[in-house]
Amino acid sequence: MSEQERLAASPDPDSPWRLWGPYLAARQWGTVREDYSGNGDAWGYLSFDQARSRAYRWGEDGIAGICDRHGFLNLAVAMWNGADEILKERYFGLTNSEGNHGEDVKEHWWITDGTPTHSWMRMVYRYPQRAFPYSELRERAARASRDEREPELSDTGVLAEDRFFDVETTWAKAGPDDVCVTITATNHGPDAAPLHLVPQVWFRNTWTWGRDARRPALIASTADGWTRVVAEHQQLGRYTVHFDGRPRLLVTDNETDEAALFGRAVNPSRYTKAGIGDHIVAGAVDACQVVPMGGASHPGTKAAAWYRFDSVEPGERVTVRLRLIAGDGHGSAFGPTFDETVRLREREADDFYAGVVRRGTDEERRVARLAFAGLLWTKQHYRFRVREWLEGDPAHPPGPAERHAPHARNVHWKHMDVADVLSMPDEWEYPWFAAWDLAFHMVPFALVDPAFAKEQLLLLCREWLMHPDGQLPAYEWEFGDVNPPVHAWAALQVYYAEENRDRVFLARVFHKLLLNFSWWVNRKDPYGNYLFEGGFLGMDNIGPVNRSAPLGDGWRFEQSDATSWMAAYALHMMQMALELARHDEAYEDVATKFVEHFLSIAQASTHFGSAGRPIWDEEDGFCYDLVSRTLPGGAVESQPVRVRSMVGLLPLLAGAPLDPWVFEELPGFAGRLNYLLRRQPAFGQFLTWHTDADGERSALLSLLDERKMRRVLSRMFDEGEFLSPHGIRSLSAAHRGGLQVEIAGWHHPIEYEPGESRTAMFGGNSNWRGPVWFPTNALLVQVLHALEAFHRGAVTVELPTGSGNVVSAGEAADELSRRLAALFLPGPDGRRPADGDRVEATDSPLWSRHVTFNEYFDGDTGEGLGATHQTGWTALVAVLLAGWPAQR
């Protein structure tokens, strides 16, 4: 069975081939779900130091791990180098209070391959041979200011002279519930070094909270010549994990060490979560069960196989194998079928990606495949019952009263009851979904797994996630925050990706988004004048001040970007309705509602805000936010926020074509549009008409007319402003050196910052004041392609502005795509711009062969910044290399 055949046989989330995958989080500690404090300090409530000894409530974490899609049974790789103070079971990173400001884990690993059904997966973890410098990293970060680079693991010298093991883990499914696992460690250092490989299997703790007393069991045995752990679970049934060779089997319980952490006299369980690590590292004899040869353990809930290599020579590789099999397993687990399965699944992965990425150089195809692999690894089990989280568990003391205050975190989202696999922005830094991130993820997902892409977009609209009032949850930190409304856009991209377009999917998501669109209209258009507010809108510190916070003295923000997002949302809903109306005339009326709504928003934007000022500034040829207030007597005072940022480029996104078939097949819609244009001639400025040689008419709806659009594009392609060698900057480089902006009578500084943020706004963990971000760049690429398609090459731009080099909009889109993709490709000097000055930029092939997909990129140098494994929306590079769904 090929990967394409497996996908065809797996249309639903519960399809057998989707049962096991990389759904185990890379970090569960420090998440909102595990935070039961009164002050909302999620990073501090359950810290990295506690994670080894404290049972999680809602999920699990591990290195190179998998679990079932329900998150019950987990397998991951642990290791010890003989020098670390603790067993290496999970990745380490710093919290904000410890000096973190780039959202970067202090470890190195790379997802190197994977298929959509997870029939084949491979990743590499780089493990130092010296003691891991936990304290040194904390001390260095505490000393570093925001103007200094954040210290990384390589800065400590622990990786010098290549003194590390590369631990490569591959997962190959022989069947839906038969998984072959190979763990191979290579000593790249100059000297022999010890290594302990400790693959672990354990159950998520569901039994100590007072809600479900049923307890699963793991029994480890070396009887009958088999080295195995048998796992019994009330829902999963029985599984057997076979271990090759004769490792020492260790068994403990996945329970909190309450005596060590909280001073309890006696632990409820004799063996606790840290028992295996304490036994291996500290030699604690009674910390866990040690299974005698030929014997078996008592039931536990966490087990490990301890492979000990006392001296691995330079260049030597050591390998261990295990196999997860449903039922009782079998004696030939490591027979010829094991290696045959691994080889076959790798060949099938090659065949699959040869059909997905069919153009470009070998290196471009490799980068696209790596981006897809990293994207597939962002799929994680996400479980969160907000009502239970707020109430606390019967077996534990009630939480602080502050958790139930009217404005406490997520107190108004008690309906949320999630237990699904969701695509996460970053497998370590963001082990929780974010609404607009997930929408962008689904565009590359549509090229490799359209069924999953459709399921995810529908999932976010389901009643256990969408608020009863129609709001989509933003992200775990505060579900009630607002992300840009890009869900409809993503649904259209997924719809266009399939040759046999799924109108049932489109209708299902459209009906739910009707509720969400109404929420926006009712909640974010406070004066009913088609002008929208949003506050945060995902772009963190892009403004001189926090746009979600009150300004004082009666001043209020009137946001250009919020109104532009809503204009685009209306057009996307119109396009969905038009597609559905081709087969069901009932949708034709709804399409007219959205075209009218768009035209009303567009008209309102020409006399934006309470003072009747437009978002468009004729002198500057750009769009700005406004701040306004009502004076005594009713007069309105207003002023633009003259900062050229991505906020002013977003009106370009509010455009959509009306193809000839619309006027031929949908006369009701065409008639209503003509009626609107006759009754309100001012609406005509937002339509551009085209008649082809056969007399067929088409139209382009756009928030900006062609003259304004050209002026904005002129700034966008100006290398002194937005155009960088690596994409479109989020803030104009013309603000290099800084400026003072008057807002509500106060002067606020803002400066072009191409790299990491130097301000603490929104935690200071990301920066929209200059870097290149993939999601907005990808939208701009698509806009340029749309202009090319409608105007048939008639729209041209200078690229760069002032160069005299005139190109069509489509050629500009291709050039922008080339610059973005080039971030991950070797340049003339053989180095990737995204590697910057990091250790990946060294000449050593041990580093240079690995590609890292970062959260955002320096607006001048292209260096990757922020979260290291943001292969979520940065996986859009695969779309640029493989081709947009609608254009393939």
Side-chain angles (χ1 to χ4, degrees):
M1 178 182 284
S2 69
E3 181 63 13
Q4 287 286 13
E5 291 172 326
R6 282 188 289 271
L7 280 172
S10 308
D12 303 315
D14 291 324
S15 299
W17 280 100
R18 298 185 186 272
L19 175 60
W20 293 93
Y23 312 139
L24 177 66
R27 179 177 65 82
Q28 182 70 14
W29 61 272
T31 62
V32 168
R33 280 162 288 161
E34 303 298 337
D35 176 18
Y36 284 76
S37 70
N39 61 4
D41 179 15
W43 282 102
Y45 183 77
L46 202 166
S47 66
F48 173 84
D49 292 333
Q50 286 191 350
R52 62 183 296 270
S53 305
R54 187 169 173 181
Y56 297 129
R57 173 64 176 88
W58 297 100
E60 292 292 336
D61 57 23
I63 297 172
I66 70 167
C67 69
D68 64 276
R69 65 172 292 105
H70 310 291
F72 292 128
L73 185 61
N74 309 273
L75 289 88
V77 181
M79 62 210 82
W80 187 50
N81 57 18
D84 279 352
E85 59 194 61
I86 59 173
L87 186 68
K88 173 55 72 174
E89 297 176 277
R90 58 186 50 81
Y91 301 124
F92 172 70
L94 300 179
T95 69
N96 286 0
S97 63
E98 291 174 322
N100 175 45
H101 57 84
E103 300 206 74
D104 190 8
V105 62
K106 305 305 176 189
E107 305 262 16
H108 294 283
W109 75 92
W110 301 272
I111 310 302
T112 57
D113 210 359
T115 54
T117 64
H118 312 302
S119 60
W120 167 255
M121 299 184 293
R122 176 186 283 154
M123 69 88 68
V124 177
Y125 171 70
R126 184 151 289 174
Y127 185 44
Q129 294 174 359
R130 299 167 179 166
F132 198 93
Y134 297 108
S135 298
E136 182 178 350
L137 284 166
R138 286 185 169 120
E139 291 166 2
R140 282 173 172 256
R143 293 195 304 266
S145 72
R146 284 205 171 273
D147 293 328
E148 298 176 271
R149 293 178 66 89
E150 186 174 354
E152 302 295 349
L153 180 62
S154 57
D155 298 326
T156 67
V158 73
L159 301 172
E161 300 179 288
D162 297 336
R163 292 183 184 275
F164 50 75
F165 288 97
D166 272 351
V167 182
E168 182 180 77
T169 305
T170 63
W171 307 81
K173 293 182 182 178
D177 48 15
D178 183 350
V179 188
C180 303
V181 187
T182 304
I183 306 167
T184 299
T186 303
N187 179 2
H188 290 296
D191 301 315
L195 179 66
H196 304 247
L197 291 175
V198 192
Q200 299 186 343
V201 54
W202 73 100
F203 285 112
R204 177 169 56 85
N205 189 318
T206 58
W207 55 87
T208 60
W209 317 107
R211 295 184 181 275
D212 186 348
R214 295 177 296 174
R215 186 186 185 98
L218 297 172
I219 297 178
S221 170
T222 58
D224 305 321
W226 295 7
T227 304
R228 66 189 184 276
V229 172
V230 177
E232 290 276 3
H233 189 272
Q234 55 269 19
Q235 182 168 329
L236 284 178
R238 174 177 291 188
Y239 275 85
T240 299
V241 182
H242 287 279
F243 298 95
D244 197 11
R246 287 289 181 268
R248 180 65 57 87
L249 295 184
L250 309 175
V251 179
T252 187
D253 282 311
N254 184 17
E255 299 207 20
T256 299
D257 187 345
E258 297 186 16
L261 292 179
F262 308 122
R264 184 166 177 167
V266 179
N267 280 317
S269 174
R270 177 181 176 183
Y271 302 114
T272 62
K273 182 177 178 179
I276 291 170
D278 289 343
H279 179 79
I280 293 173
V281 176
V285 176
D286 295 328
C288 64
Q289 300 182 62
V290 180
V291 181
M293 296 304 298
S297 72
H298 297 294
T301 49
K302 180 179 179 181
W306 182 9
Y307 292 89
R308 180 170 180 167
F309 303 95
D310 293 327
S311 180
V312 183
E313 295 297 319
E316 184 183 359
R317 305 174 70 187
V318 294
T319 298
V320 302
R321 300 188 300 175
L322 53 148
R323 190 164 183 171
L324 169 73
I325 307 174
D328 293 322
H330 53 76
S332 59
F334 302 105
T337 61
F338 187 100
D339 291 334
E340 289 170 6
T341 295
V342 173
R343 289 192 295 267
L344 178 60
R345 293 296 177 259
E346 186 171 18
R347 288 199 304 270
E348 290 169 348
D350 293 340
D351 293 341
F352 175 77
Y353 282 110
V356 173
V357 189
R358 297 188 290 269
R359 65 186 195 183
T361 65
D362 289 346
E363 184 62 15
E364 287 172 339
R365 290 194 295 271
R366 187 179 83 94
V367 167
R369 181 166 173 173
L370 290 171
F372 282 126
L375 178 72
L376 291 166
W377 207 282
T378 67
K379 294 163 64 174
Q380 295 181 17
H381 171 74
Y382 185 85
R383 184 177 295 266
F384 196 15
R385 292 180 174 175
V386 174
R387 185 179 297 276
E388 290 185 4
W389 176 75
L390 288 168
E391 292 175 350
D393 294 311
H396 293 260
E402 294 91 334
R403 291 168 56 81
H404 301 276
H407 299 293
R409 173 181 287 155
N410 295 329
V411 71
H412 300 296
W413 288 79
K414 296 178 182 177
H415 71 286
M416 284 196 67
D417 186 358
V418 193
D420 294 286
V421 171
L422 284 148
S423 181
M424 308 296 179
D426 175 276
E427 65 167 326
W428 185 87
E429 180 59 37
Y430 299 94
W432 33 266
F433 71 91
W436 78 316
D437 293 70
L438 184 144
F440 285 114
H441 298 183
M442 294 309 114
V443 180
F445 259 118
L447 302 184
V448 293
D449 192 355
F452 179 79
K454 290 185 285 188
E455 181 264 332
Q456 289 286 283
L457 291 170
L458 288 168
L459 179 60
L460 229 60
C461 296
R462 295 304 300 267
E463 55 275 14
W464 56 86
L465 272 160
M466 175 184 273
H467 197 279
D469 64 13
Q471 184 180 8
L472 292 179
Y475 45 77
E476 180 178 292
W477 194 260
E478 179 50 73
F479 292 127
D481 270 354
V482 181
N483 279 182
V486 293
H487 214 79
W489 168 82
L492 281 167
Q493 308 312 305
V494 172
Y495 173 75
Y496 292 139
E498 292 187 289
E499 184 176 348
N500 298 317
R501 293 177 176 173
D502 188 346
R503 288 187 295 275
V504 173
F505 155 72
L506 197 66
R508 289 178 67 193
V509 72
F510 177 78
H511 290 161
K512 288 300 185 74
L513 289 179
L514 286 173
L515 301 175
N516 181 248
F517 190 90
S518 296
W519 177 85
W520 274 92
V521 170
N522 293 328
R523 295 296 183 90
K524 296 300 179 179
D525 178 12
Y527 301 103
N529 56 5
Y530 297 98
L531 302 172
F532 291 84
E533 302 171 0
F536 167 54
L537 283 178
M539 293 193 288
D540 295 354
N541 64 345
I542 199 165
V545 297
N546 182 350
R547 297 186 300 170
S548 295
L551 291 174
D553 295 331
W555 291 94
R556 58 186 176 275
F557 257 108
E558 296 173 327
Q559 291 179 234
S560 167
D561 54 338
T563 298
S564 300
W565 284 121
M566 280 304 293
Y569 193 3
L571 289 176
H572 298 143
M573 293 294 283
M574 177 202 72
Q575 290 176 295
M576 296 171 77
L578 290 173
E579 282 285 337
L580 294 168
R582 303 183 79 173
H583 302 274
D584 186 343
E585 63 182 13
Y587 288 96
E588 200 166 355
D589 291 343
V590 189
T592 65
K593 177 262 184 294
F594 283 109
V595 74
E596 187 165 353
H597 208 110
F598 164 76
L599 291 170
S600 297
I601 294 173
Q603 178 68 10
S605 71
T606 64
H607 49 273
F608 191 80
S610 309
R613 300 182 65 148
I615 61 173
W616 174 257
D617 187 276
E618 183 62 32
E619 180 181 352
D620 290 356
F622 205 69
C623 297
Y624 296 119
D625 282 345
L626 300 174
V627 289
S628 303
R629 66 174 175 178
T630 303
L631 300 172
V636 178
E637 180 182 6
S638 180
Q639 63 186 70
V641 180
R642 289 186 180 278
V643 177
R644 289 197 294 279
S645 72
M646 186 63 69
V647 166
L649 299 181
L650 291 180
L652 291 170
L653 306 183
L658 296 175
D659 294 323
W661 65 261
V662 174
F663 301 100
E664 296 168 5
E665 299 179 25
L666 305 175
F669 175 84
R672 179 62 181 172
L673 179 60
N674 288 333
Y675 172 81
L676 287 171
L677 295 176
R678 288 196 306 271
R679 292 295 298 270
Q680 300 192 56
F683 282 170
Q685 65 184 299
F686 307 111
L687 284 94
T688 302
W689 293 91
H690 176 83
T691 304
D692 65 16
D694 297 324
E696 290 187 323
R697 289 202 315 161
S698 57
L700 180 69
L701 292 156
S702 179
L703 194 63
L704 299 178
D705 62 29
E706 187 173 334
R707 182 184 67 85
K708 294 175 181 176
M709 176 264 294
R710 287 179 181 274
R711 292 191 68 186
V712 173
L713 289 177
S714 177
R715 287 203 181 274
M716 189 173 92
F717 288 123
D718 187 336
E719 291 181 313
E721 294 221 33
F722 289 99
L723 181 63
S724 83
H726 317 288
I728 302 301
R729 301 174 171 109
S730 49
L731 187 76
S732 171
H735 299 319
R736 198 187 301 268
L739 72 159
Q740 294 284 327
V741 183
E742 183 181 347
I743 299 177
W746 296 86
H747 286 85
H748 299 271
I750 188 169
E751 182 178 2
Y752 171 71
E753 300 176 17
E756 290 183 344
S757 175
R758 295 199 295 269
T759 71
M761 191 184 297
F762 292 98
N765 293 327
S766 66
N767 184 24
W768 285 81
R769 294 183 175 182
V772 171
W773 290 77
F774 252 82
T776 47
N777 269 262
L779 289 172
L780 291 169
V781 168
Q782 193 181 49
V783 164
L784 293 167
H785 280 307
L787 289 173
E788 177 76 8
F790 180 79
H791 290 283
R792 279 79 166 176
V795 169
T796 59
V797 297
E798 272 191 303
L799 200 166
T801 299
S803 67
N805 179 44
V806 178
V807 300
S808 70
E811 290 170 328
D814 291 340
E815 173 60 17
L816 182 53
S817 294
R818 186 198 66 78
R819 294 187 183 212
L820 291 162
L823 283 163
F824 308 101
L825 300 170
D829 61 356
R831 297 187 177 188
R832 290 182 293 264
D835 290 343
D837 293 328
R838 300 196 314 272
V839 65
E840 289 89 348
T842 63
D843 294 332
S844 169
L846 291 176
W847 292 99
S848 61
R849 70 168 175 249
H850 293 297
V851 181
T852 299
F853 298 90
N854 284 78
E855 186 178 7
Y856 56 96
F857 301 85
D858 189 291
D860 289 341
T861 68
E863 180 177 2
L865 301 167
T868 312
H869 293 80
Q870 191 103 351
T871 324
W873 61 23
T874 302
L876 285 162
V877 67
V879 177
L880 301 180
L881 291 168
W884 279 93
Q887 297 167 333
R888 287 163 64 83

